Amino acid sequence: MRHPNPELLSAHIDGALSTTEAAALAQHLGVCAECRRQCAELRAVSASVQAQAPSTPSFVSPGLFWARLAARLQTPRREAWPGISLLPATVFALLGAALDVLLGAASLVWLLERWGLMRPLAPRLLAQLVQRDAPTVLAGLAPAWLASGSKQLCARVLQAWGAVRPEVQDAVLYVGLATLLCVALGGLLMLFGLWLSTRLDQERNERSMTRWNTARS
Amino acid sequence: MAAANRPEAELIASARSGDMGAFAQLVGLHRMRVLRTAAGIVGSVHEAEDVAQLVFMRVWDHLDDYDSAGSFTSWLYRITVNLSIDTLRRRRYEAELDEELQAGARSDPEALALHADERRRVQRAVAQLPDKTRAALILREYEQLSYKEIAEALKIPIGTVMSRLNYARRSLDRLLREEQDEQREASEP
């Protein structure tokens, strides 16, 4: 008589065989006393191990277990940054991005107007402001460059700058200032959002812990 | 208490965002399975509690690594099995050091009497199984997991689960018989 793979007998007592395998094995067990004996032994071993499973009273109480665990947990969580609710941060980041887009669009419009590719849509107040204030800004920066010992470099930059057409100077200054403003504004809003997220998260944790302690007591 | 009935997925999401109350409830839900599994593998209730503490600390720290597409329980069992096996390895290393220090001064008659107890006999036989085999056996016998669940928890194919369980049971059967024979021989005049 050909006996089945021993692993099948073990799987059989766990009810882990497919319908076809189980049917074939059942047929074999009907005629094979040796395999029936092996199954009985496997069941006995399985039962004796199951009887060793520790019961609930063997362990410390849930309250004590949690108290010990809570004292060892690192709070805020190690991955607290990605873990915190980022909704406020996201809202403020989106707000910053929207403002950036607006400023970018305004820059584009201004440039198109400036180069005659578009009919004037808005007063050129900002453009005039940049034109008027740019030399003052440069004049303020130049001494700093000179003081840092980059005299030649600064002179070269100023010389190169002077050779640039006024409308390009305007465009560079305007776009540069707009970019700085965008970055600063977006960054500040993002930081504020993150701060708000962390703060809200801490408050929620405290509320949650209070609820848990109340429920437990 | 309405909060106690929150679904597991919601508790995990809240715990991920740092909500300790939600994590406490998760611990409450899974504490016993972690303790039982660890106790089965390390063979000591006291050590199982240390392992369970480490398991939940790791879960708390690595909640972001848990892929919510998979089963949380399987992930938890995997961590429990790994940390239990680590504990055993450390213990064996420490025992080796201890043995070197004590140099054969053993065989306490009282301890031997305790080993005669049926419970201790099976525990001792289980402790002799290879770690990974024992882990599969404990997940099956203590936790009543299906072969598929064991495969998922241990990240092994179902065929391997089947062969490990078969090996574990047959080895236990042999070990228990051998011990019985030894006891019989010892008790004979």
Side-chain angles (χ1 to χ4, degrees):
Chain A
M1 187 184 300
R2 191 161 175 242
H3 296 290
N5 183 332
E7 288 176 8
L8 288 181
L9 295 182
S10 176
H12 169 68
I13 69 156
D14 290 325
L17 293 180
S18 68
T19 322
T20 328
E21 286 172 326
L25 189 64
Q27 205 176 4
H28 175 79
L29 288 175
V31 294
C32 180
E34 169 58 22
C35 286
R36 278 202 303 276
R37 188 188 59 77
Q38 283 192 34
C39 277
E41 282 173 1
L42 291 171
R43 277 203 184 91
V45 168
S46 172
S48 61
V49 178
Q50 281 177 25
Q52 307 305 312
S55 57
T56 308
S58 314
F59 300 106
V60 290
S61 68
L64 185 57
F65 183 84
W66 171 252
R68 285 178 186 164
L69 179 64
R72 296 171 79 181
L73 290 180
Q74 197 177 0
T75 48
R77 289 196 326 108
R78 206 171 54 117
E79 288 83 4
W81 281 102
I84 58 171
S85 165
L86 289 173
L87 185 67
T90 313
V91 168
F92 280 96
L94 285 174
L95 194 65
L99 281 171
D100 288 356
V101 168
L102 272 176
L103 278 169
S107 303
L108 187 67
V109 167
W110 181 81
L111 281 174
L112 291 173
E113 279 179 18
R114 180 86 190 163
W115 290 334
L117 297 170
M118 191 175 170
R119 281 194 316 169
L121 290 176
R124 299 189 175 180
L125 185 65
L126 191 58
Q128 284 168 6
L129 194 73
V130 171
Q131 262 181 319
R132 198 177 57 228
D133 293 343
T136 320
V137 173
L138 267 176
L141 284 175
W145 276 105
L146 290 168
S148 67
S150 309
K151 203 172 174 179
Q152 282 187 334
L153 179 69
C154 189
R156 252 181 239 160
V157 169
L158 284 173
Q159 195 181 1
W161 179 254
V164 176
R165 280 185 299 153
E167 57 266 34
V168 177
Q169 281 184 355
D170 288 351
V172 170
L173 283 170
Y174 184 80
V175 171
L177 282 174
T179 308
L180 274 176
L181 194 63
C182 287
V183 170
L185 201 62
L188 278 175
L189 283 169
M190 181 74 185
L191 282 175
F192 177 70
L194 279 172
W195 173 81
L196 197 62
S197 290
T198 320
R199 178 88 196 156
L200 289 174
D201 192 57
Q202 277 172 355
E203 281 176 13
R204 202 183 53 236
N205 264 352
E206 281 161 16
R207 274 201 307 275
S208 176
M209 278 310 290
T210 314
R211 265 204 317 273
W212 165 248
N213 287 329
T214 315
R216 224 180 58 193
S217 60
Chain B
M1 184 171 55
N5 299 322
R6 286 165 74 189
E8 188 182 73
E10 200 186 302
L11 290 175
I12 294 167
S14 301
R16 257 184 181 158
S17 63
D19 182 343
M20 273 186 94
F23 186 67
Q25 287 182 44
L26 262 184
V27 171
L29 281 176
H30 296 284
R31 186 183 67 98
M32 272 315 291
R33 31 174 82 101
V34 170
L35 282 168
R36 268 197 313 264
T37 308
I41 298 173
V42 299
S44 147
V45 168
H46 180 70
E47 269 186 301
E49 277 167 6
D50 287 343
V51 172
Q53 293 266 327
L54 290 176
V55 168
F56 286 113
M57 282 164 72
R58 184 165 290 190
V59 168
W60 172 254
D61 283 344
H62 293 85
L63 266 174
D64 292 327
D65 299 340
Y66 161 61
D67 175 10
S68 45
S71 152
F72 179 74
T73 313
S74 294
W75 184 63
L76 193 62
Y77 276 130
R78 198 175 310 140
I79 296 175
T80 307
V81 167
N82 289 340
L83 285 179
S84 301
I85 291 176
D86 285 351
T87 303
L88 275 180
R89 284 183 188 148
R90 201 172 50 245
R91 192 212 291 165
R92 278 174 200 148
Y93 174 70
E94 284 165 2
E96 275 170 26
L97 288 180
D98 199 39
E99 265 180 34
E100 280 172 24
L101 287 172
Q102 295 191 3
R106 304 218 215 132
S107 64
D108 174 6
E110 276 183 70
L112 285 174
L114 268 174
H115 287 168
D117 179 61
E118 169 70 14
R119 193 180 176 84
R120 295 289 297 162
R121 210 165 61 86
V122 177
Q123 278 180 354
R124 238 171 19 165
V126 171
Q128 288 182 56
L129 295 173
D131 295 342
K132 288 177 180 174
T133 306
R134 185 167 55 256
L137 183 77
I138 294 302
L139 290 179
R140 174 65 208 157
E141 307 294 16
Y142 282 18
E143 298 302 305
Q144 303 290 303
L145 295 196
S146 69
Y147 281 29
K148 190 170 172 248
E149 287 167 329
I150 298 173
E152 203 182 319
L154 301 180
K155 279 199 164 176
I156 52 174
I158 288 185
T160 312
V161 174
M162 201 185 272
S163 59
R164 280 190 192 170
L165 286 176
N166 175 56
Y167 175 76
R169 285 166 176 157
R170 286 176 192 276
S171 304
L172 280 181
D173 188 37
R174 180 178 48 78
L175 288 166
L176 291 170
R177 274 173 206 285
E178 281 173 6
E179 195 168 349
Q180 236 170 3
D181 291 345
E182 277 171 25
Q183 277 180 357
R184 201 178 298 128
E185 278 170 25
S187 62
E188 277 171 11

